Amino acid sequence: MDERSQVFAATLLGAVAGGLVGFLYLTDRGRRVRGQIEPMVESMITELERARGTVEKARDAALEGRRAVDDLLAPKEPRSAEAVWETREYTEASS
């Protein structure tokens, strides 16, 4: 799409949006339509917020499950004798 086509499309879209806003806010019929639309939009927003909360809970559960699986599958490093000796030395020195 060349620059002229983009400018034309943006101008057309702006004109349609402006006409729609003008209709909804400046005419009696538009006010009635807006009165009918607003409750539907509010309920849709409420449902979207609930869906977002559900998705967040599912994501948190999936992350927790992955952490649990990673912990189970992670190789356990055996402690070296030197590490055990250093721990004993520290404990004896601190007593």
Side-chain angles (χ1 to χ4, degrees):
M1 188 181 256
D2 65 339
E3 187 176 345
R4 282 181 105 177
S5 297
Q6 289 177 345
V7 169
F8 178 72
T11 302
L12 186 62
L13 184 63
V16 169
L20 183 61
V21 169
F23 168 73
L24 288 174
Y25 286 91
L26 299 177
T27 65
D28 289 333
R29 187 169 174 221
R31 288 185 189 100
R32 285 192 304 268
V33 169
R34 201 177 68 224
Q36 294 171 350
I37 292 174
E38 284 178 352
M40 290 187 308
V41 171
E42 288 176 9
S43 68
M44 191 172 17
I45 289 172
T46 302
E47 289 299 320
L48 288 173
E49 288 173 351
R50 288 178 59 199
R52 185 182 67 199
T54 302
V55 168
E56 287 176 4
K57 287 178 184 179
R59 185 193 63 196
D60 291 343
L63 289 174
E64 184 62 32
R66 181 174 179 160
R67 278 190 221 115
V69 169
D70 287 346
D71 288 346
L72 288 173
L73 298 178
K76 303 290 184 207
E77 293 183 22
R79 294 180 64 185
S80 66
E82 183 177 295
V84 173
W85 187 79
E86 287 174 358
T87 304
R88 278 193 212 136
E89 183 179 296
Y90 177 75
T91 305
E92 288 173 7
S94 64
S95 299

